[in-house]
Amino acid sequence: MISHIDITGIHYEPSEELKKYITKKIGRLDRFTPRHARKSIKIDVRLTERQTKTDKNQCEIVIHLPEQQITAKEATINMFAAVDIVETKL
C-alpha cells in the first residue's frame, strides 16, 4: 500500500469514513508502479464541494511519481462515486 496519501478538503470537511475509503481505494494503485518507485510516490487528494446544480462534489487526485505527475478529476453528486470514477481513470 502507498504510505503517503494527503487528503485535503476545499470548502468540504471529509469524514473519517471517506478518508478510510480513499486510503483503501487509492492505496491499491501501488500494484501498477515498479517496486523501486513505490516508496517515493506521493498522492494528493483534493475534495471540493462546488455550488452548481448538477455536479456538487469534485475529487481530484494527483500522483507524484519520480519522473512524472499523473492527474485525474471527476465531479458527481456523491463524493464516494467521484472517488471510484477517479480510481478507475487512474
Side-chain angles (χ1 to χ4, degrees), residues 1-55:
M1 282 275 294
I2 296 173
S3 60
H4 191 74
I5 299 175
D6 185 29
I7 302 171
T8 306
I10 302 169
H11 305 293
Y12 181 79
E13 185 61 41
S15 66
E16 286 302 314
E17 180 184 1
L18 180 60
K19 288 180 181 181
K20 287 179 185 178
Y21 186 75
I22 291 170
T23 303
K24 178 183 166 190
K25 293 291 267 186
I26 305 305
R28 295 187 301 187
L29 293 175
D30 68 344
R31 60 186 164 181
F32 299 110
T33 58
R35 289 184 189 266
H36 68 279
R38 289 181 186 170
K39 290 188 179 186
S40 61
I41 294 174
K42 180 179 178 277
I43 298 179
D44 292 325
V45 179
R46 294 183 194 105
L47 306 172
T48 308
E49 187 173 59
R50 300 182 339 180
Q51 300 299 323
T52 62
K53 291 181 181 178
T54 56
D55 296 332

